[in-house]
Amino acid sequence: MHPDILDYNQRQEPSDKAICDLLAETIERHLPEAKSKVWHAHPVWFLDDNPIVGYKKLKHCVRLLFWSGQSFEEESLQKEGSFKAAEARYTAVEQVNVEDLERWLGKSRDIQWDYRNIVKRKGRLERLK
């Protein structure tokens, strides 16, 4: 795991750190080919320079974000923003359903929108997979 992600997790309160650690470990295990880094101040994993999944500590929760998540057709992921992203929010590690997370990670590899070139395309997304 990228040292900056370990540092990010370490700076969280113990209950949030437990959530972040579980998310990071599960993502690393199920997307071993992904490159990770702290991007825009929070951990993000990329496939071919395209952001796939990340998480961020918000005021009252930890938000898990899948950039192409709206295309996963998963009821437990909520629409986020005006593009194709979807999220899940957690306030306790027990709320993280690892089976769901593993399924979402598989879909994140198979279903991708091209965020890498969104600026070049003037805000228009194209489906990669």
Side-chain angles (χ1 to χ4, degrees):
M1 188 178 315
H2 195 285
D4 291 345
I5 294 175
L6 293 171
D7 182 58
Y8 178 94
N9 292 358
Q10 192 64 38
R11 288 181 281 135
Q12 307 307 318
E13 294 295 322
S15 60
D16 294 326
K17 180 184 180 308
I19 296 167
C20 292
D21 286 345
L22 177 58
L23 294 175
E25 291 164 6
T26 307
I27 294 166
E28 287 281 320
R29 189 171 58 252
H30 288 277
L31 292 176
E33 72 277 25
K35 291 188 168 55
S36 62
K37 64 181 175 182
V38 173
W39 187 55
H40 297 286
H42 64 278
V44 177
W45 282 257
F46 299 81
L47 292 174
D48 298 323
D49 297 325
N50 197 40
I52 300 301
V53 62
Y55 58 85
K56 182 176 185 175
K57 171 63 177 112
L58 302 177
K59 189 172 184 177
H60 298 293
C61 66
V62 174
R63 176 180 66 189
L64 173 67
L65 183 75
F66 288 93
W67 268 256
S68 300
Q70 288 182 34
S71 297
F72 297 176
E73 298 181 1
E74 292 278 346
E75 289 181 20
S76 40
L77 287 175
Q78 304 303 310
K79 180 180 177 179
E80 166 58 27
S82 58
F83 292 105
K84 300 293 182 183
E87 68 176 13
R89 294 184 179 210
Y90 306 107
T91 56
V93 71
E94 296 81 18
Q95 295 173 337
V96 179
N97 181 321
V98 175
E99 187 176 296
D100 286 348
L101 177 55
E102 291 170 344
R103 185 176 62 254
W104 300 338
L105 290 166
K107 288 183 176 186
S108 74
R109 179 187 293 113
D110 298 336
I111 301 170
Q112 293 181 39
W113 289 86
D114 186 7
Y115 282 90
R116 177 182 50 191
N117 294 306
I118 195 168
V119 172
K120 183 172 89 174
R121 291 194 179 104
K122 299 180 176 152
R124 188 175 44 85
L125 280 176
E126 289 187 7
R127 181 111 181 224
L128 292 174
K129 297 181 178 184

